[in-house]
Amino acid sequence: MSEDHVNAEHAEAMRALKAEREELMKTKTLEKGLLLVHTGDGKGKSSAGFGMVARSLGWGMQVGVVQFIKGKWKTGERLFFSRFPDQVRYRVMGEGFTWDTQDRERDVAAAKAAWEESKAMIADPTLDFVLLDEINIALRYDYLDIDEVVAVLTARPNDKHVCLTGRNAKPQLLEIADLVTEMTLVKHPFEQGFKAQRGVEF
Amino acid sequence: MSEDHVNAEHAEAMRALKAEREELMKTKTLEKGLLLVHTGDGKGKSSAGFGMVARSLGWGMQVGVVQFIKGKWKTGERLFFSRFPDQVRYRVMGEGFTWDTQDRERDVAAAKAAWEESKAMIADPTLDFVLLDEINIALRYDYLDIDEVVAVLTARPNDKHVCLTGRNAKPQLLEIADLVTEMTLVKHPFEQGFKAQRGVEF
C-alpha cells in the first residue's frame, strides 16, 4: 500500500472518528465542581493534585491547599506555590509521618486542626479549587471522623472542585467522588536503592 | 483499654517502626536523574508531570516542557508555566488530536519537530528536569522511532530527570524507566455526562 493510500485511509478513519466524538460530546453538557480522589500505592497522587493547582492558577482561579502530613518537610511544592499568596492559600498542618511524631494525641490534634482549615476553605466562596493533600492518611488512622468529612464534602458549594489524595482512600469517599484514579506502582527507583529526590518526589 | 494505654502502645509501635525505617533508609543512598513514565487510561498522567514541574521550580531548578499533542488547545498549564520564562522553556508542538488534524503527514511532521526539541532539551546541561507530555501517543502511532527514543533517553546526562506521559506506553520504555506509574481509571465524571472542565482536566 502506497504512503498516499495510507494517508488517505487515515484521513477517512479520522473523519469518522471525529463525527463519532462530536456526537458523544453533545451528551457531555454538565458542569459543576468535581470531587476527585487520587489513591493507590503508586507515585503521582499528590503531584497530580499540584498539577491541577497549576492549571487552576493558569485560568486565574483562587486555590486553597491543606497539607495534612508533611508539616516539617521542606517541599518543592510549598516553596513554589507560596510565591503566589494572592492566588494560593497554602497551609501546612501536619507534623510529619506517624513514626516521626510517635505521639498519637499530637497527630490527632494536628489532623483536626487541618480539617478545621479544610472546612473553612471548602465553605469559602472565593476559592475555586481546594486540595486536601494526604487527608486519606488521617482518615485511615481514624484521626478524623469519616462521616463528618463525607457530610461536609457532599454539602459543598456546587461550583467547588475538591481533590483528596493519599493511599487507602476510604470506600465512603470513593462512593461520593465524581472522579477516582488509582495510581498503581509498576516500578519504583526505591527498590534499586535510590533516595527520594528533590523535584521528583518532594 | 484506656486512652492513655492506646497512646502508649502507639508510641512504642512508632518507635519500632522508625528504627526499622532508619535501617531501611541507610540502604537508599543512590542519586541520579530518573526516567519516569506515567501511563494507563486514568487521569493524572500529565497533571502529575506538571506537579513535578512545580516542585522542581520550587527547588530553583530549570525545567523544559514539550507538549506533543495539545497544540491548539489553550490549557491552564501552558497559561501558568509560561509566566516563568527564566525558569521554564515551554514548547507546544502538537497540532491536536489525530481526529482533529485528520492529516497523518502533518501529525508525523509535528511529532518529529517535537522530538527534535525534546532531544535538544535532554542534551542541554542547563535543564534539570524535562517533561515530554503525551509523547506516548506519538510513539503509539509510530510517528517516532521507538529505538531512537530509547537510545537518546538511555544516553541522557546522568543527573537529568525526564518524565514521559501518555497512555499505552511502549514496553521498551517501561523496560528502561526507573519509575513507572499506571494511572487506573476507577470512576470518571465523563460517564455521568460532565464536560471536561478548566483547572481540573486542562
Side-chain angles (χ1 to χ4, degrees):
Chain A
M1 202 157 61
S2 73
E3 189 72 2
D4 281 355
H5 199 89
V6 170
N7 290 336
E9 285 205 343
H10 174 90
E12 183 50 45
M14 291 304 119
R15 267 192 293 275
L17 182 57
K18 185 172 186 176
E20 197 179 293
R21 281 192 62 86
E22 279 171 355
E23 275 310 300
L24 178 72
M25 298 311 277
K26 278 184 200 158
T27 69
K28 312 299 175 192
T29 51
L30 304 174
E31 284 190 275
K32 69 149 189 163
L34 297 178
L35 184 66
L36 306 106
V37 176
H38 298 166
T39 192
D41 59 359
K43 300 294 299 176
K45 300 181 290 290
S46 293
S47 39
F50 287 105
M52 285 194 291
V53 169
R55 284 177 169 161
S56 300
L57 296 178
W59 290 112
M61 296 176 174
Q62 295 286 323
V63 178
V65 177
V66 180
Q67 289 197 285
F68 273 73
I69 298 293
K70 292 172 185 158
K72 293 192 173 155
W73 289 28
K74 197 165 162 187
T75 62
E77 59 268 29
R78 181 183 1 168
L79 290 168
F80 183 65
F81 289 113
S82 298
R83 292 190 201 167
F84 317 100
D86 291 348
Q87 253 194 297
V88 185
R89 195 180 311 167
Y90 205 107
R91 300 284 182 268
V92 184
M93 308 292 292
E95 305 218 30
F97 288 106
T98 48
W99 56 80
D100 285 324
T101 63
Q102 304 182 11
D103 184 334
R104 190 172 164 275
E105 282 189 324
R106 215 168 79 191
D107 288 348
V108 172
K112 287 189 193 298
W115 175 239
E116 289 306 311
E117 187 70 32
S118 307
K119 278 195 288 188
M121 288 190 187
I122 290 166
D124 186 336
T126 69
L127 295 179
D128 303 291
F129 179 78
V130 177
L131 173 61
L132 306 181
D133 188 39
E134 307 278 21
I135 187 175
N136 289 339
I137 312 290
L139 287 165
R140 179 194 183 184
Y141 290 109
D142 297 318
Y143 293 171
L144 302 175
D145 177 18
I146 181 69
D147 294 333
E148 192 201 338
V149 172
V150 164
V152 169
L153 290 170
T154 306
R156 75 188 187 283
N158 190 52
D159 55 354
K160 176 108 21 173
H161 301 295
V162 181
C163 178
L164 299 88
T165 79
R167 55 176 72 194
N168 300 109
K170 293 258 183 188
Q172 296 96 313
L173 272 190
L174 304 186
E175 185 133 333
I176 61 166
D178 298 298
L179 189 155
V180 179
T181 306
E182 185 168 339
M183 276 64 173
T184 309
L185 180 75
V186 179
K187 198 187 215 182
H188 196 290
F190 209 63
E191 289 156 17
Q192 288 108 55
F194 288 101
K195 296 163 71 169
Q197 290 178 89
R198 284 183 177 185
V200 174
E201 282 155 311
F202 62 92
Chain B
M1 202 157 59
S2 73
E3 189 74 1
D4 282 354
H5 197 89
V6 170
N7 289 337
E9 284 205 343
H10 174 89
E12 183 50 46
M14 290 303 120
R15 268 192 293 277
L17 182 57
K18 185 172 185 176
E20 197 180 292
R21 282 192 61 86
E22 278 171 356
E23 275 310 300
L24 178 73
M25 298 312 277
K26 280 186 198 157
T27 68
K28 314 298 176 192
T29 53
L30 304 173
E31 284 191 274
K32 69 150 190 164
L34 298 178
L35 185 66
L36 307 106
V37 176
H38 299 167
T39 191
D41 58 0
K43 298 295 300 175
K45 302 181 290 291
S46 293
S47 39
F50 286 106
M52 286 194 290
V53 169
R55 285 177 167 160
S56 300
L57 296 178
W59 289 113
M61 295 176 175
Q62 295 287 321
V63 177
V65 177
V66 180
Q67 288 198 286
F68 273 73
I69 298 294
K70 291 170 185 160
K72 292 191 174 156
W73 289 27
K74 196 165 162 187
T75 62
E77 59 267 29
R78 184 186 356 173
L79 290 168
F80 183 65
F81 289 113
S82 299
R83 291 191 201 164
F84 318 100
D86 292 347
Q87 253 193 296
V88 186
R89 194 180 311 166
Y90 205 107
R91 300 283 181 268
V92 185
M93 308 290 292
E95 306 218 29
F97 288 107
T98 48
W99 56 80
D100 285 324
T101 64
Q102 303 183 12
D103 184 334
R104 191 172 163 275
E105 282 190 323
R106 216 169 77 190
D107 288 346
V108 172
K112 286 188 192 296
W115 174 239
E116 290 304 312
E117 187 70 32
S118 307
K119 278 195 288 187
M121 288 189 186
I122 291 167
D124 186 337
T126 68
L127 294 178
D128 303 291
F129 178 78
V130 178
L131 173 61
L132 305 182
D133 187 42
E134 306 279 22
I135 187 175
N136 289 340
I137 312 289
L139 287 166
R140 178 194 185 184
Y141 290 110
D142 298 319
Y143 292 171
L144 301 175
D145 177 17
I146 181 67
D147 294 332
E148 193 200 336
V149 171
V150 164
V152 168
L153 291 170
T154 306
R156 76 189 185 282
N158 190 52
D159 54 354
K160 176 108 21 171
H161 301 295
V162 181
C163 178
L164 298 89
T165 80
R167 55 176 72 192
N168 299 111
K170 293 259 182 185
Q172 297 97 314
L173 272 190
L174 303 186
E175 184 132 335
I176 61 165
D178 298 299
L179 190 155
V180 179
T181 305
E182 184 166 338
M183 276 69 173
T184 309
L185 180 75
V186 179
K187 198 184 213 184
H188 195 290
F190 209 64
E191 289 155 16
Q192 288 109 52
F194 288 100
K195 295 163 71 170
Q197 289 178 90
R198 285 184 175 184
V200 175
E201 283 157 308
F202 62 91

